[in-house]
Amino acid sequence: MSTTTTSDRNDLRVAILGAGMIGAVHRRAALLNGARLVGVMASSPERSSSAAHDWRTMAIRDADALFDLAPDVVHVCSPNGLHVEHVKAAVAAGAHVICEKPIAATSGEADELADLVAGTDRIGTVPFVYRFHPLVREIRSRMRDEEFGRLQLIHGSYLQDWLLSPLATSWRVDSRLGGPSRTFADIGSHWCDLMEFITGERIASLSAATTITVPERPATSAASFSAVSGGGPLVTVDTEDAASVMFRTQSGVLGTVIVSQVSAGRKNRLWIEIDGERRSAVFDQENPETVWFGREESAEVIQRDPSRGSSDERRLSSLPAGHVQGYAQCFENFIGDTYRAVVGDRRDGLPTFDDGARSARIVDAVLESARSGAWVDVVDAPRPAPQHQP
Ligand code: SOE
């Protein structure tokens, strides 16, 4: 088993389970953070060999082989339905774990994973990477400095179009592989995490409706993003294409969010507005270099700038102002902060398995409300204190 010491940060041995689009994003961020990739496992031995060849590393036979490999960190980027098995194998191998969201298909299993990691001296983190946009930190910092006053309303959306075509499919569409919620678990989870992270508010209850706008799609393919060009058999879709959620936070603020994977022209448009009694803020993930701040008498747009703003805005700005930073740098920063925490240097704002478990409870509530038509409470489960706080 691995025994990481503080001096190891630039030479962590990491393994990646899953070689799809998001596995490749993890690999890039891991390498940029100085890690040594010791193995990759994909969806079949053939795909593992081919990914290992492309990524110049070793193919991992199965998750149990992690035990002998003894990596310091395992990145779990496999289809959602495999997360529980893969996280457990990583923990059994003594590794720290980074697991894609949703960490599990149900909140019961997500709690189990969070408890499992908390019972070790290892950490578990979840790539809620939009927290790592420098200007997200700037809004959060101004909110903490009470520039906004009492919150009036929180609203926004997260819209994509990669499943607009009735010919498009992915493992995410099939509830057996992706879990019972698709769009909300995949991207609504990001929006809710970001909203709670920026505002410090917690969703207390919600009322949701979901819709399946494409009732049949080609049978699932292993690839994450794939437009299948007809020919294959059609299967009935059992996960939502879009959802609309109204919520109230623990302090009573009303909010709404709409999520969709079928909104033409919207690629990855996470948009959030927070309206306070003194000012409002808007952040648009596709234009992350600016933030709009509104006041009753005027509004201003500020630009990301490593020489201005909060300490976190400065710390997470790796490029000068005007040299556009985006998703890739968020990912690098998230992986960087995870590896720092692995060696005992924990920074503020790191999304952990506790955040992943909370997210799973929100997803459960959305599905339950969509089924019953009732408002559903989101319970904040008390979590045992981690055995070791890096
Ligand atoms: C696909 O919907 C996806 O890659 C998500 O899985 C990511 O979490 C999101 O950041 C971008 O879209």
Side-chain angles (χ1 to χ4, degrees), residues 112-139:
E112 196 196 326
L113 293 186
D115 290 347
L116 180 71
V117 171
T120 70
D121 62 353
R122 306 281 122 171
I123 59 158
T125 65
V126 183
F128 285 125
V129 293
Y130 301 125
R131 292 184 181 196
F132 291 82
H133 280 298
L135 287 179
V136 158
R137 301 293 174 115
E138 180 59 18
I139 305 173

Side-chain angles (χ1 to χ4, degrees), residues 142-193:
R142 292 185 185 209
M143 189 146 287
R144 290 177 150 198
D145 289 345
E146 300 189 356
E147 286 189 18
F148 284 72
R150 195 170 42 85
L151 293 189
Q152 320 280 312
L153 200 61
I154 304 169
H155 48 112
S157 54
Y158 193 163
L159 309 176
Q160 299 179 333
D161 70 358
W162 65 285
L163 284 168
L164 178 61
S165 162
L167 295 181
T169 194
S170 121
W171 57 262
R172 293 180 189 282
V173 171
D174 182 342
S175 65
R176 288 166 308 173
L177 299 172
S181 167
R182 186 210 323 148
T183 307
F184 201 84
D186 189 32
I187 57 177
S189 57
H190 271 300
W191 192 94
C192 293
D193 179 78

Side-chain angles (χ1 to χ4, degrees), residues 65-77:
L66 288 173
F67 194 84
D68 292 328
L69 196 58
D72 296 305
V73 183
V74 174
H75 293 238
V76 178
C77 308

Side-chain angles (χ1 to χ4, degrees), residues 226-243:
S226 61
V228 178
S229 48
L234 293 181
V235 293
T236 303
V237 172
D238 63 353
T239 52
E240 79 281 2
D241 288 311

Side-chain angles (χ1 to χ4, degrees), residues 21-22 100-101 127 129-130 158 160 162 172 186-187 189-190 224-225 261 267-268 327 331:
M21 167 269 191
I22 205 68
E100 270 299 332
K101 30 80 341 209
V129 293
Y130 301 125
Y158 193 163
Q160 299 179 333
W162 65 285
R172 293 180 189 282
D186 189 32
I187 57 177
S189 57
H190 271 300
S224 205
F225 287 80
Q261 291 176 328
K267 301 302 172 189
N268 202 34
Y327 181 78
F331 229 96

